[in-house]
């Protein structure tokens, strides 16, 4: 995760390394950095957008601070994946880790952070095989959900909690549909 001295000089957050371990924090940083970098390649945004490593470090610190508080307050040992994706998404959106570097003709990347987070959440929601096979007559509903999520991140007020609720609601709908189909 870069320079350890720089990481440890971030004030009172050294306790995070003691609490979660350097390996876990570095692993989460590397995972996100790889996802962001790969996303820019897939979308062919190189030269227009960069991943700010300094901002990504802030995202990671803020994420782990929130998770630490949640674990203590809710008395949980292991954090559910929906909470992980929600809190990471919130901090990615809040800090705008993807930075536009081209001064002109950047209209297609104005909402690159919101676009990435929509992709990020979508990849989590559709990671189970039951969620992949979408019937043609239901495709519009799923596409509308994804488009509305993107719009929500662009123009509405959101929080990590509201993102988590959105993820859980989608999963509950999938669980309900699966149950209805297999009775």
């Amino acid at each position: 995760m870069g320079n350890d001295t720089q990481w440890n000089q971030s004030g009172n957050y050294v306790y995070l390394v003691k609490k979660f371990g350097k390996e876990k924090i570095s692993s989460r940083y590397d995972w996100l950095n790889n996802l962001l970098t790969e996303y820019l390649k897939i979308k062919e945004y190189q030269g227009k957008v960069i991943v700010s490593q300094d901002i990504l470090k802030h995202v990671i610190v803020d994420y782990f601070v929130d998770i630490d508080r949640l674990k203590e307050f809710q008395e949980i040992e292991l954090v559910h994946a929906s909470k992980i994706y929600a809190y990471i998404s919130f901090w990615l959106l809040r800090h705008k880790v993807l930075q536009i570097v081209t001064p002109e003709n950047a209209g297609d990347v104005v909402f690159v952070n919101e676009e990435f987070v929509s992709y990020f959440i979508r990849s989590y929601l559709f990671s189970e095989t039951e969620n992949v096979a979408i019937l043609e007559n239901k495709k519009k509903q799923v596409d509308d959900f994804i488009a509305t999520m993107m719009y929500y991140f662009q123009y509405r007020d959101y929080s990590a909690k509201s993102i988590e609720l959105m993820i859980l609601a989608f999963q509950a709908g999938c669980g309900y549909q699966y149950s209805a189909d297999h009775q």
Side-chain angles (χ1 to χ4, degrees), residues 22-156:
K22 183 179 168 184
E23 178 64 31
K24 184 171 193 148
I25 294 170
S26 292
S27 172
R28 189 66 40 97
Y29 175 91
D30 292 340
W31 174 65
L32 273 177
N33 190 40
N34 289 337
L35 286 175
L36 289 157
T37 302
E38 187 61 28
Y39 181 76
L40 295 180
K41 287 179 189 172
I42 290 169
K43 296 298 282 185
E44 298 179 358
Y45 288 160
Q46 302 101 320
K48 287 185 175 184
V49 179
I50 62 165
V51 178
S52 170
Q53 302 304 311
D54 290 333
I55 295 174
L56 183 55
K57 287 176 186 175
H58 284 281
V59 167
I60 296 298
V61 168
D62 289 339
Y63 162 77
F64 276 105
V65 167
D66 275 354
I67 293 301
D68 181 45
R69 289 177 184 156
L70 284 168
K71 287 176 82 168
E72 187 175 318
F73 180 74
Q74 296 179 355
E75 297 179 355
I76 54 177
E77 215 170 295
L78 296 175
V79 179
H80 191 272
S82 60
K83 195 174 293 295
I84 292 169
Y85 275 80
Y87 279 80
I88 287 173
S89 294
F90 174 76
W91 288 112
L92 287 169
L93 289 166
R94 180 82 181 258
H95 287 309
K96 308 285 188 204
V97 71
L98 296 173
Q99 296 287 301
I100 300 171
V101 293
T102 183
E104 297 176 10
N105 300 321
D108 59 333
V109 292
V110 170
F111 293 110
V112 68
N113 287 284
E114 294 80 1
E115 187 181 295
F116 172 77
V117 170
S118 295
Y119 164 82
F120 179 65
I121 292 172
R122 181 176 54 229
S123 70
Y124 169 64
L125 293 176
F126 296 115
S127 63
E128 295 180 20
T129 57
E130 293 87 7
N131 296 335
V132 175
I134 300 167
L135 299 175
E136 192 58 40
N137 65 342
K138 297 297 180 186
K139 186 172 178 354
K140 183 174 177 353
Q141 289 176 316
V142 174
D143 290 345
D144 287 348
F145 172 78
I146 301 301
T148 302
M149 181 171 52
M150 174 82 164
Y151 180 87
Y152 179 72
F153 293 146
Q154 291 170 331
Y155 300 111
R156 299 289 183 243

